[in-house]
Amino acid sequence: MCEVGGIGLPGDKIVDKETDGRIVLGPGLRKETEHVLMTKPGKLCFKDPNIYWVDSHHKRYIPVRGENVLGVVTNKSGDTFKVDIGGSEQASLSYLAFEGATKRNRPDVKIGDQVFCKLLVASKHTEPEVVCIDSSGKSNGLGVIRDGGMTITTPCNHIRKILSPDCVLLKTLGNSLPYEIAIGMNGKIWIKGRTTKETIALTNAIACAEYMNNEQISLMCRKLVNSLSGF
């Protein structure tokens, strides 16, 4: 048996919290008859109202519907692009899945371009499908990224740590160093600072924060800002 906050192994049963209504199972969990079992090793996590998932250290991405990912266009077949998102198979991206795209007004997408997109279809039985628009048909930050910057790869559990409301990394960096960033749940991060020097410093800070707590992250960010300022 594995309780919330504990470390479990594949096959372990989880201990449910007292929740109202049915629970939602995230990555690393599977329902079998009346029990919920872990399918991969890691830390059992819980989020209100009643969401469970397993946080584990891995680099191979398992597509999940609705998640934002960073991918690279690898091929074009008819009206569909193939995008490598780091999963077991490539995702498909229709040329109509861009803001304002029509049969006459096709998006300017080339092989090798990096795209920030959202998973529309993600199932172990079908090929993943991604789009560069939200539910209202707007790009809302999604699309092809060609504006310089740097892209780094980090374990998927580090992505979840960065995006956690408890993590101070992005807010602390943004207080002193303006930047643009696109974070993919598949372990890819694109970031651009005001200068090349700042961009490199930001990527190094994000990579180094993987094994730090908030106090250590705050100290690191202060040292980074001071070093860029010449102190």
Side-chain angles (χ1 to χ4, degrees), residues 58-92:
H58 63 92
K59 293 186 178 180
R60 171 55 64 92
Y61 176 63
I62 301 175
V64 177
R65 184 177 183 271
E67 289 188 341
N68 292 340
V69 292
L70 270 167
V72 177
V73 178
T74 60
N75 197 8
K76 180 182 179 182
S77 176
D79 295 332
T80 304
F81 302 100
K82 292 295 183 180
V83 182
D84 182 5
I85 59 173
S88 58
E89 58 181 325
Q90 297 188 3
S92 62

Side-chain angles (χ1 to χ4, degrees), residues 9 14-15 37 66 68 84 89 91 109 119 139 144 155 166 168 183 209 216:
L9 297 173
I14 74 167
V15 179
L37 303 180
N68 292 340
D84 182 5
E89 58 181 325
V109 181
L119 276 156
S139 63
V144 178
D166 300 328
V168 300
I183 302 177
Q216 293 169 329

Side-chain angles (χ1 to χ4, degrees), residues 150 191 193 195-206 224 228:
M150 292 182 63
I191 190 167
T195 64
T196 301
K197 183 178 180 180
E198 287 190 4
T199 299
I200 295 173
L202 288 164
T203 56
N204 288 337
I206 291 173
L224 173 65
L228 290 173

